[in-house]
Amino acid sequence: MHDYGSGKKNSAGGLMTRIPGIIVVEPSAEQSKYRAAEVFARKQPKQLKLSNDIESVKEHLREVRHEARDDNAKLLERLKNTLAGFGVNVRIAADGKEAASAIRQIAGDTRLASINKSNIVVNEIRPDLKSQGFETYIRYFTEFSKNFEPEVFKKELEDYWSLAGMHDRGLMESFAVRKKFSSLPKGDIRDYVVILGVNAISAENGDVFFLQHMSNISHDLEQARKVILVVGIEKVAKDSDTALFHTRSMGIFGLESILLDLKPNDLERFDFDGLPVLADQPERSIDVIILDNGRSKLLNGIYEDLFLCIDCRNCARQCPIGLHVFFERGLVYSPKNYLLGFLQGFLPPVDACLHCGRCHVECPVEIDIPTLIWKAQLEHYEHHKRSLKKRMLDDPEMLAKMGTLTAPLSNWMVHIPIVQYMTELFTGVHRNSHLPTFHRETFRDWFKGGKRG
């Protein structure tokens, strides 16, 4: 752990003079206003122009993300120097364990934490926070419960084909800056810490950006006694304009994935508003943790394109496995997070991927996730033996030959409950799956035999 503290007191309870600007971006009705104005002006909606705008946004996004990846070392060094001029402590954490230890030191006696729905906090730090004795809640879900009645909420959108497909219709979502914090507010302080994964940060002036769909981040910035900002090293942009563009792009390309995820989660609900306001109104503090967690190693290897990701999660929109495998584990899922979690060592080999390629098609910066997953699988199995299940599923032709050679016995056996159970146990194929019917005579035999009529 490296400490780049500014020397100005903060989390220890002293005076805090100046903090980086904290900017909260939210959805806005700007686009709807333009369309309404076009209708009143009797003009045709600018469908073609808007489509071009989407492509322009993608092109510019790819440009700034390549720049952020290629100049990462310089940007990171500049950010450290910039933050040193503020009244915040800056720590460099090598992994989630170091980050959690630093958070425990910052939090003091408090073990109650609000976190945002950020993959760097939820996936990479939260397990270590729990081992440190923290109770963590994603306040997004508490705000969700306040905006929707959980008992009557009915999820209408279950699959991606139910979505409006706004970009295909020439529509582009709009996001605008809604709140700016130049200091931490006083007067409504409660005894808990907030741990926020930063969406983007400016190396030039230290401005920190968040994308907010509810009001959880704003409330935490107003109420938490201690504010801890976690910055992944790939989130550093050269200046404030670029960081704002990065954050708005997350909203533009990630909104429909948010709609698919929209559902209550009772396990994450905690009434932070119900905590008593601290009578002595202690000095609030803000700390920054820059988390590496294997990213520097990836940046210098074949996985460097993962640094282009803005975490919009558009790649998750059509992923056929995400909804069925990973939500149960409480992870923030996307194909990129799936691969990153494996490379960071906290997820198993990425064998569940079907390599359908939809994530590559949907990615606004064109990260070829399927190819990167292939490379990760090849690297892994060069050094590790494949399991029996893996060997069987990797060779469907061998299974088909076995079924054909033993037909019709094989067709009879696959309907026996004990065989179905054993198949599920050893191969992972569900016992209720409808397996193909095997024929002793293959299509090739039939064709060569001249029995085709």
XYZ file of all heavy atoms in Angstrom, residues 24 78 86 107 112 139 151 175 201 213 232 240-241 257 262 264 266 278 289 291 294 312 319 354 381 385 416:
215
model
N -22.194 14.782 -10.539
C -23.164 13.692 -10.691
C -23.967 13.919 -11.966
O -24.574 14.976 -12.153
C -24.115 13.624 -9.474
C -25.125 12.496 -9.664
C -23.308 13.424 -8.196
N 0.032 11.963 -13.344
C -0.487 13.327 -13.288
C -1.630 13.436 -12.280
O -1.746 14.412 -11.552
C -0.977 13.755 -14.679
C -1.338 15.230 -14.742
C -1.757 15.643 -16.130
N -1.994 17.077 -16.196
C -2.514 17.710 -17.236
N -2.808 17.017 -18.316
N -2.701 19.012 -17.204
N -5.010 18.645 -3.063
C -6.279 18.758 -2.348
C -6.140 18.248 -0.917
O -5.136 17.641 -0.551
C -7.375 17.954 -3.066
C -7.773 18.528 -4.389
C -7.227 18.046 -5.565
C -8.701 19.564 -4.453
C -7.601 18.569 -6.797
C -9.073 20.103 -5.676
C -8.514 19.603 -6.846
N -12.306 3.917 8.113
C -13.635 3.888 8.732
C -13.597 3.985 10.245
O -14.600 4.357 10.872
C -14.358 2.602 8.313
N -20.471 -0.073 9.081
C -21.635 0.002 8.194
C -21.245 0.796 6.950
O -20.732 1.915 7.068
C -22.808 0.683 8.909
C -24.080 0.892 8.076
C -24.663 -0.447 7.610
C -25.126 1.682 8.872
N -27.072 0.927 -1.944
C -28.181 1.825 -1.648
C -29.097 2.058 -2.846
O -30.238 2.480 -2.686
C -27.624 3.166 -1.142
C -28.687 4.082 -0.580
C -28.090 5.213 0.218
N -29.114 6.113 0.698
C -28.892 7.097 1.570
N -27.681 7.292 2.035
N -29.860 7.887 1.959
N -43.958 -4.672 -3.483
C -45.017 -5.682 -3.496
C -45.819 -5.644 -4.800
O -46.384 -6.649 -5.222
C -45.966 -5.475 -2.310
C -45.334 -5.716 -0.944
C -44.447 -4.565 -0.486
O -44.532 -3.477 -1.097
O -43.659 -4.763 0.460
N -27.971 12.695 -21.268
C -27.571 12.755 -19.856
C -26.923 14.110 -19.601
O -26.213 14.640 -20.461
C -26.591 11.623 -19.519
C -27.239 10.270 -19.562
C -27.409 9.607 -20.773
C -27.688 9.657 -18.398
C -28.022 8.369 -20.832
C -28.300 8.422 -18.449
C -28.469 7.770 -19.660
N -12.402 10.044 -13.868
C -11.750 11.092 -13.089
C -10.762 11.824 -13.991
O -10.110 11.206 -14.836
C -11.048 10.505 -11.844
C -10.485 11.613 -10.951
C -9.972 9.518 -12.223
C -10.054 11.107 -9.566
N -28.681 6.882 -11.655
C -30.031 6.685 -12.188
C -31.092 6.865 -11.115
O -32.256 7.099 -11.430
C -30.159 5.292 -12.819
C -29.331 5.123 -14.058
N -28.046 4.610 -14.029
C -29.585 5.421 -15.347
C -27.571 4.597 -15.270
N -28.469 5.073 -16.074
N -10.442 2.794 -10.372
C -9.698 1.832 -11.176
C -8.741 2.603 -12.080
O -9.102 3.676 -12.593
N -11.342 17.169 -17.712
C -12.714 17.081 -17.228
C -13.709 16.824 -18.361
O -14.668 16.074 -18.204
C -13.066 18.383 -16.483
O -14.228 18.226 -15.721
N -13.509 17.455 -19.502
C -14.416 17.252 -20.646
C -14.415 15.789 -21.090
O -15.459 15.212 -21.399
C -14.000 18.154 -21.809
C -14.325 19.618 -21.552
O -15.148 19.890 -20.652
O -13.750 20.474 -22.243
N -29.475 -1.932 -20.776
C -29.061 -2.998 -19.855
C -29.571 -2.719 -18.443
O -29.933 -3.646 -17.703
C -27.531 -3.119 -19.831
O -27.058 -3.658 -21.038
N -33.626 -4.024 -13.922
C -34.478 -3.280 -12.998
C -35.385 -4.226 -12.201
O -36.385 -4.738 -12.704
C -35.342 -2.295 -13.801
C -35.900 -1.084 -13.054
C -34.777 -0.217 -12.528
C -36.800 -0.279 -13.985
N -36.291 -5.263 -7.709
C -35.905 -5.052 -6.304
C -34.977 -6.147 -5.796
O -34.912 -7.235 -6.359
C -37.255 -5.082 -5.567
C -38.165 -5.846 -6.452
C -37.710 -5.608 -7.860
N -34.256 -7.329 -1.920
C -34.502 -7.110 -0.495
C -33.240 -7.249 0.344
O -33.100 -6.600 1.394
C -35.565 -8.083 0.009
C -36.939 -7.754 -0.550
O -37.115 -6.596 -0.997
O -37.814 -8.638 -0.548
N -25.979 12.702 13.464
C -24.980 12.853 14.529
C -25.077 14.252 15.143
O -24.974 15.271 14.441
C -23.577 12.613 13.976
C -23.318 11.169 13.501
C -21.945 11.064 12.838
C -23.426 10.180 14.656
N -8.829 5.885 -3.064
C -8.036 4.664 -3.222
C -7.941 4.356 -4.709
O -8.966 4.190 -5.374
C -8.682 3.477 -2.484
C -8.693 3.723 -0.975
C -7.935 2.178 -2.795
C -9.426 2.658 -0.184
N -7.042 1.693 -7.268
C -6.928 0.231 -7.204
C -6.357 -0.329 -8.502
O -6.866 -0.055 -9.585
C -8.315 -0.389 -6.944
C -8.357 -1.916 -6.839
C -7.513 -2.402 -5.668
C -9.796 -2.401 -6.693
N -4.229 -6.136 -10.518
C -3.832 -6.885 -11.714
C -3.973 -6.124 -13.012
O -3.602 -6.637 -14.076
N -20.135 0.386 -19.541
C -21.549 0.697 -19.817
C -22.414 -0.557 -19.702
O -23.618 -0.462 -19.544
C -21.700 1.307 -21.209
S -21.281 0.184 -22.581
N -26.221 -11.023 -23.796
C -25.434 -12.189 -23.381
C -26.371 -13.298 -22.896
O -27.170 -13.080 -21.982
C -24.459 -11.802 -22.273
S -23.485 -13.205 -21.682
N -20.534 -18.953 -24.539
C -20.957 -19.691 -25.729
C -20.287 -19.183 -27.000
O -20.518 -19.715 -28.074
C -22.476 -19.584 -25.878
C -23.306 -20.096 -24.705
C -24.795 -19.883 -24.976
C -23.022 -21.567 -24.432
N -5.708 -23.743 -20.062
C -5.616 -25.196 -20.215
C -4.256 -25.662 -20.744
O -4.015 -26.865 -20.854
C -6.762 -25.692 -21.101
C -8.071 -25.620 -20.348
C -9.058 -24.723 -20.723
C -8.288 -26.419 -19.232
C -10.246 -24.626 -20.011
C -9.461 -26.332 -18.512
C -10.435 -25.437 -18.900
O -11.591 -25.345 -18.173
N -5.064 -29.328 -16.305
C -5.762 -30.428 -16.955
C -7.239 -30.100 -17.080
O -7.824 -29.484 -16.207
C -5.592 -31.715 -16.142
C -4.189 -32.307 -16.220
C -4.144 -33.629 -15.471
C -2.763 -34.262 -15.581
N -2.690 -35.534 -14.827
N -33.990 -42.886 -18.647
C -34.004 -43.503 -17.315
C -33.565 -42.458 -16.289
O -32.509 -41.823 -16.462
C -33.051 -44.720 -17.278
C -33.490 -45.757 -18.309
C -33.010 -45.317 -15.884
C -32.531 -46.929 -18.436
